[in-house]
Amino acid sequence: VGTAVTLQFDTSVITSQFPIRIEGPATSYGIFTEHEPAEFEFDAHYLVLDGDDLEPEAMLIEEDGEHSHGHSEECILPTDRPDCGCTNAGTLECDNTDKVLESYLYLVDNRCNQGCNCYNEGCRDNFFIVDMHHSGCNADQLPKFVEENFHEYEESCQRCYQSPFQNPVLPQCGAIDCKNTAATNGNYSLVASAECQNDFCQSPACQAAWQVVIAAHDECCHDDIPEALADGFHDLEEVCLGGCNVPVPTNYTVDCSAPKNLGLVEDDHDGDDHDEHEGEHAVAWGASFTLTPAQYTWQAQKTGCPLSDQSYAEPTMKFVVLELANTSKAALMAAEETAEELFEGNLETVVPGFGSIDVGTAVTLQFDTSVITSQFPIRIEGPATSYGIFTEHEPAEFEFDAHYLVLDGDDLEPEAMLIEEDGEHSHGHSEECILPTDRPDCGCTNAGTLECDNTDKVLESYLYLVDNRCNQGCNCYNEGCRDNFFIVDMHHSGCNADQLPKFVEENFHEYEESCQRCYQSPFQNPVLPQCGAIDCKNTAATNGNYSLVASAECQNDFCQSPACQAAWQVVIAAHDECCHDDIPEALADGFHDLEEVCLGGCNVPVPTNYTVDCSAPKNLGLVEDDHDGDDHDEHEGEHAVAWGASFTLTPAQYTWQAQKTGCPFDRCRDGSDAPVRHVRDHDQFPIRIEGPATSYGIFTEHEPAEFEFDAHYLVLDGDDLEPEAMLIEEDGEHSHGHSEECILPTDRPDCGCTNAGTLECDNTDKVLESYLYLVDNRCNQGCNCYNEGCRDNFFIVDMHHSGCNADQLPKFVEENFHEYEESCQRCYQSPFQNPVLPQCGAIDCKNTAATNGNYSLVASAECQNDFCQSPACQAAWQVVIAAHDECCHDDIPEALADGFHDLEEVCLGGCNIPEPTNYTVDCSVPKNQGLTSGRDNNPNDNNDDDDDNLSTGAIVGITIAVVGVFLVILFAVLYKCCLKPRAIDEAHTAAMKMPGSVAEEHKSEQANNV
């Protein structure tokens, strides 16, 4: 502390680390840097303690100085990019939607927007194809979901330049002054305001501003585009009509020999990373990496669920690391033959703990079945930097929750990759064909009977899945998750979609991959034909029909043409009747997106001669306990045990973790001071398991979730362990999920007593600027919203969200505001009173059963399908609104708290929350203290105070300042007359007792200190 240094980064490693020693006694510190830390973040935070990220309390950023390197220092214009026509993208074919669709699906399948994946040739070339057609074709010529989701890949992938499509009905964009960012910002703020958003930017002023925004986004250098515009442009595209054509650059010619276009066509990529390899090979996978001298770790894991049944995909795997000329695919292919020859020889078998694997030596990895993760060190000594790793099986087959190659905990991604698609090494799917009728019968499980009119039953089970995170890890193998998923699955298959709540129907598919499905004979819609017979093995025909349905031709008319409808029926039959391995991957991934667009379809026939036999092997062991969504309803009253869970544990040392929770970091969740004994943000307790047993139960006095901030409660070697079954004491004294104190809306600080200023419902710029501050500063992450800037700008948005009509706010602010509610402290503003709505009736907050009943009715298909307009639904909706806005957090049922904002998007009508009787705003009360101190980070609070009369606050402030000056003068006089001479005498006296040179040094030091 107090010593300025120059940090020199180690170019041989990904992450350079520098220890900072804090010894106290101070607790408040400032860190100042020459450059912004964000410039040096890839996948790790800049300041950590024991692995926990630390966020600042307040922050200064030099926005306009020479130190801003957030963007490239060089101006990159669109025409500076490689020309799309000089890459493997080929030629522009706006009518060939199959080409675009296949390339887009390649991006999805290969996760090309993650890490550095888009620098692999396959991702790069397929992105060029999509980018070329996105720029050069009319949006209507592309499949809708490609057009909408393309932008998710722009930040990760290198773009290419294609002269922009010219829409004959739009004017040319005017000339843009890219350096006039103030004007650009002004136009963006207007377009993003409610004034423009609510009429789709059709007024002359809005349309002119929208054309400036388009020109800035498409023609200016990245550094000249305001950050808010760069982040928000694609949201505006979804709202604003009209616009303009970006002009084709004058005198621009395509020259494939120009430097920017070199090195982009070494290999012909059409989405197949290894189609030149035919037949079967000893090498199933190869990848190139840039590796500097260090010790790397290769990891293989057990996979599958439940955890007790996890196993390695194969017991062994041949493995070799070879030097390459470079990291291109061509160099990788050249080395593959050497790897093949090495794999044919007699290889040494190595086990975890073996010294290390050397470059050039092929070995057989033998996985340790007693642990979840087998690790093998690889020693790279140089001087080469380009290496290829070749394996007998695909590494992805051995990934559960950890990456295959790491260095110091950081995942390493390949530069180029070869995959043997059609050989014997593909274990991506089950080797056994699992038909829908091979699943357990829903009626032979705890799902009970099919009750399509009982939407409450389906809704309660779905909410159980949400509350218990049943789609995470192996959670869905717990009985509660399993049985409630069976209930939802049975009704999803056996009932008409209109009989299920909309959000259940839409979101059910998020649980399909994690949970075991059951079989229910499918609903037969009397207005649809039967699906025709499907040849599941003819995947080429299935793929052809899928490509047609996913094309713009079908998407743009909702699959209603005869050809599209016939293809859609084939796709439905393939998806619902074929084995998983016979369903093309693109169809499996994209089917549910098509369901949202395509009308019509067909009924999947009920299997002939199929009978339900609950004694069949597939149906055994699924009704051991009666689960209705309550894992522990047999326990009544209060118990010393609040939580219990079972685990399969093999001999090892496990770690139990408990963390401080809540924000800011120096406070506990309940607002009390953090316990003194906590010197870290989490405590760890080792658990030693020696066997021979493998099944164990852990029981605790409190729920572990109460002690989780950003780490799991039970881990082994850094891997989170999930329970097999779980007991939770729902109603006892141990539930601390919410604050023990009832916090009413009026208990919050008053918005008018904060830096939010005054309520200005017509000043949408003020709200918009504050909302964009929240976005830019990631105020909903960690404890960021306890920084003054985030806090004050959230207060501004919160005040206007509560006190103004929703139509007065920009649409996307109104819709996305709720993402910040959990992270930020709310303030109280008397609610807007809509003159066309009645007052909400009195609410009995303690009658949670009644509240739950009203919520279930509102969330049911009966209310959702008519927008809550029937008298019964409207009355229930008004009760739900009153409960949500007037009751203490602990009195609001969890399902209502989680689902309220989804209901707001569906239900019309409602009621006005009444203003509290006799409530007055008093900025001097404790709840309003400390919210206007410190440097004001509010970008909107720039009003000049022209009032000549001083407020009470100003008078108090001046008085304190005068008294403060007097005390400083008094202390200076006392110091000069008394304290300073005495301190110097003490320093000399102490020095006389020391050896000569030490004494002189000490006297000098003491004098300096004085």
Side-chain angles (χ1 to χ4, degrees), residues 920-943:
T920 57
V921 175
D922 178 3
C923 293
S924 65
V925 299
K927 71 173 185 177
N928 291 322
Q929 299 301 306
L931 299 175
T932 54
S933 60
R935 192 169 66 90
D936 188 1
N937 293 287
N938 176 3
N940 307 305
D941 197 8
N942 53 11
N943 295 329

Side-chain angles (χ1 to χ4, degrees), residues 767-829:
V767 180
L768 181 64
E769 286 175 19
S770 288
Y771 177 76
L772 293 174
Y773 183 94
L774 300 179
V775 175
D776 290 343
N777 290 275
R778 301 179 294 181
C779 294
N780 61 342
Q781 293 184 22
C783 289
N784 287 2
C785 216
Y786 280 77
N787 299 337
E788 290 178 27
C790 287
R791 181 196 69 188
D792 295 343
N793 282 280
F794 180 78
F795 282 156
I796 291 172
V797 179
D798 194 12
M799 167 191 265
H800 290 79
H801 176 266
S802 299
C804 303
N805 191 342
D807 293 340
Q808 294 175 290
L809 299 182
K811 280 187 181 179
F812 64 88
V813 174
E814 175 67 21
E815 291 170 358
N816 298 316
F817 162 78
H818 306 295
E819 294 178 9
Y820 296 84
E821 286 182 316
E822 289 193 6
S823 306
C824 298
Q825 181 186 16
R826 297 199 61 185
C827 62
Y828 177 72
Q829 171 65 40

Side-chain angles (χ1 to χ4, degrees), residues 719-773:
D719 296 326
D720 296 347
L721 303 184
E722 299 294 343
E724 304 288 326
M726 194 158 51
L727 306 174
I728 299 178
E729 172 63 27
E730 299 289 355
D731 304 311
E733 62 183 352
H734 304 289
S735 178
H736 306 283
H738 302 303
S739 167
E740 297 175 11
E741 183 184 356
C742 174
I743 305 296
L744 292 168
T746 50
D747 293 330
R748 303 170 188 155
D750 291 291
C751 297
C753 297
T754 70
N755 283 329
T758 56
L759 186 68
E760 304 172 77
C761 293
D762 294 328
N763 188 352
T764 54
D765 282 353
K766 178 179 180 177
V767 180
L768 181 64
E769 286 175 19
S770 288
Y771 177 76
L772 293 174
Y773 183 94

Side-chain angles (χ1 to χ4, degrees), residues 425-443:
H425 305 288
S426 179
H427 306 281
H429 302 303
S430 165
E431 296 177 9
E432 183 183 358
C433 174
I434 306 295
L435 292 168
T437 49
D438 293 329
R439 303 169 188 156
D441 290 292
C442 297

Side-chain angles (χ1 to χ4, degrees), residues 80 98 100 195 209 268 502 550 601 607 631 663 702 771 773 797 799 893 920 966 970 977 1002:
D80 293 329
D98 282 354
V100 180
E195 175 188 343
D268 181 17
K502 281 187 181 179
D631 266 350
C663 292
H702 309 290
Y771 177 76
Y773 183 94
V797 179
M799 167 191 265
T920 57
F966 173 77
L970 178 61
C977 296
H1002 182 72

Side-chain angles (χ1 to χ4, degrees), residues 92 179 301 317 348 473 492 508 578 642 785 834 850 884 903 946:
L92 186 68
K179 296 300 181 185
Q301 293 186 294
M317 180 169 71
E348 180 183 1
H492 176 266
F508 162 77
C578 293
C785 216
N834 191 323
H884 181 269
L903 297 180
D946 295 325

Side-chain angles (χ1 to χ4, degrees), residues 629-650:
D630 184 354
D631 266 350
H632 202 198
D633 55 7
E634 65 272 22
H635 289 260
E636 298 177 0
E638 299 178 358
H639 301 274
V641 171
W643 180 90
S646 63
F647 298 84
T648 298
L649 304 178
T650 54

Side-chain angles (χ1 to χ4, degrees), residues 969-981:
I969 293 171
L970 178 61
F971 179 81
V973 172
L974 289 173
Y975 175 76
K976 186 171 183 180
C977 296
C978 305
L979 298 179
K980 182 175 179 180

